[in-house]
Amino acid sequence: QRRSEKQELDIEEVCRFIGKAVEPIASANDKIIFLTTGAYLKEYLCYHTVNVAILAIKVGLNLKYSSEQLVNLGALALLHALTGAEDEGYGAQELQRQEFIQKFIQARQLKEGFVKESLSIIAIVDVYESLTHMRSYRQRFMPHEVLKAIILASEKVFNPGIVKKIIEIFSIYPLGSFVRLNTEEVAQVVRINKDFPLRPQVDILIDSRGKRLKEKKAVDLSSHLNLYIKEPLLESPP
């Protein structure tokens, strides 16, 4: 639940909470991204905010942030909920102007360069996480469509360097997304091959006749050159 602006922000409490989360996120590797792809079960704001914090920390890990930097990044990602996270598309400059974030920046004595980069990460992840999930007033968008839109907006809206790093992490076929193979089999992406972004590891769930398999079949597309992704799928298979 969002705090009233009259309430005091307990900065140390926020940092302690994030500090406890950093190590599990780091040790979970790409599995943590997979967990953020699921449908919201209850209130949008709660799931969205936590997912943005997790994904932002994941980006920070790939940027080789220190433990302290990861805590500050994750805390800023949580605080973005207090700015109106249910309104899609908050930019980095808009985030920095918010009262709670300004207080946090001042209290932690964060350097301008770090703040600018961190809020750029949060702004991009916020848009990506929001658009790839269904809302009450619209359907979800396919991850590759959202990434394409982010790339197109990178020159004017987003930090191009951060956009490039996020694409490397999420891939064209993100973890948890569903795809159709050239064999007409339907599979779910379970691991991204950094050297072969178009050939991830997948679990085949439905055979070429449209029949669900009793046991999923694990396939590394980078090792099976006769198999490739024909198209991404918006919805999970029935």
Side-chain angles (χ1 to χ4, degrees):
Q1 184 177 0
R2 191 185 308 171
R3 299 172 185 240
S4 166
E5 288 193 5
K6 295 181 181 180
Q7 290 181 283
E8 288 295 323
L9 175 65
D10 191 335
I11 292 174
E12 293 305 316
E13 179 185 356
V14 173
C15 290
R16 282 195 298 270
F17 175 78
I18 293 296
K20 293 178 181 179
V22 168
E23 179 56 34
I25 292 173
S27 60
N29 203 355
D30 288 342
K31 292 180 181 179
I32 196 69
I33 298 180
F34 187 89
L35 294 177
T36 65
T37 62
Y40 301 135
L41 300 179
K42 294 182 180 179
E43 292 186 7
Y44 162 81
L45 185 59
C46 177
Y47 282 87
H48 172 71
T49 303
V50 172
N51 284 348
V52 170
I54 289 172
L55 294 175
I57 291 172
K58 178 64 179 175
V59 175
L61 285 165
N62 278 265
L63 290 172
K64 308 300 182 183
Y65 277 15
S66 67
S67 297
E68 183 178 359
Q69 288 176 319
L70 290 171
V71 168
N72 288 328
L73 172 61
L76 286 169
L78 277 187
L79 292 179
H80 97 287
L82 305 177
T83 69
E86 72 274 18
D87 300 322
E88 298 171 353
Y90 260 77
Q93 293 181 345
E94 293 172 297
L95 287 172
Q96 188 164 355
R97 285 195 291 266
Q98 298 303 317
E99 181 181 349
F100 282 115
I101 287 181
Q102 285 183 348
K103 288 182 178 179
F104 184 85
I105 292 170
Q106 293 169 1
R108 299 286 284 184
Q109 299 181 338
L110 303 182
K111 294 182 178 180
E112 183 178 351
F114 173 79
V115 171
K116 185 176 180 181
E117 184 170 89
S118 294
L119 295 183
S120 293
I121 292 171
I122 295 166
I124 299 170
V125 170
D126 178 61
V127 169
Y128 176 84
E129 202 283 341
S130 179
L131 294 181
T132 53
H133 286 81
M134 187 173 69
R135 298 285 293 275
S136 60
Y137 53 85
R138 62 156 173 78
Q139 294 295 316
R140 63 185 288 265
F141 293 90
M142 299 183 74
H144 77 281
E145 294 176 329
V146 178
L147 287 175
K148 182 178 180 180
I150 288 174
I151 292 170
L152 292 174
S154 64
E155 291 297 329
K156 295 182 179 179
V157 181
F158 300 123
N159 181 321
I162 299 300
V163 169
K164 182 178 179 181
K165 178 59 65 174
I166 285 176
I167 291 172
E168 290 176 1
I169 296 169
F170 294 161
S171 181
I172 298 299
Y173 304 113
L175 285 171
S177 63
F178 296 92
V179 296
R180 191 184 310 279
L181 304 181
N182 60 308
T183 56
E184 298 302 323
E185 295 168 302
V186 174
Q188 185 175 31
V189 177
V190 296
R191 187 181 180 93
I192 296 169
N193 289 317
K194 304 298 183 183
D195 295 330
F196 302 95
L198 299 180
R199 291 185 167 277
Q201 296 181 35
V202 302
D203 282 344
I204 297 177
L205 307 175
I206 295 178
D207 66 20
S208 59
R209 297 171 295 177
K211 184 178 179 181
R212 179 173 283 275
L213 301 177
K214 292 183 179 179
E215 293 186 8
K216 58 188 178 183
K217 180 182 177 182
V219 177
D220 186 344
L221 296 181
S222 67
S223 302
H224 294 77
L225 300 183
N226 59 317
L227 292 177
Y228 58 86
I229 294 175
K230 178 181 177 181
E231 60 181 351
L233 299 176
L234 178 59
E235 302 295 340
S236 60

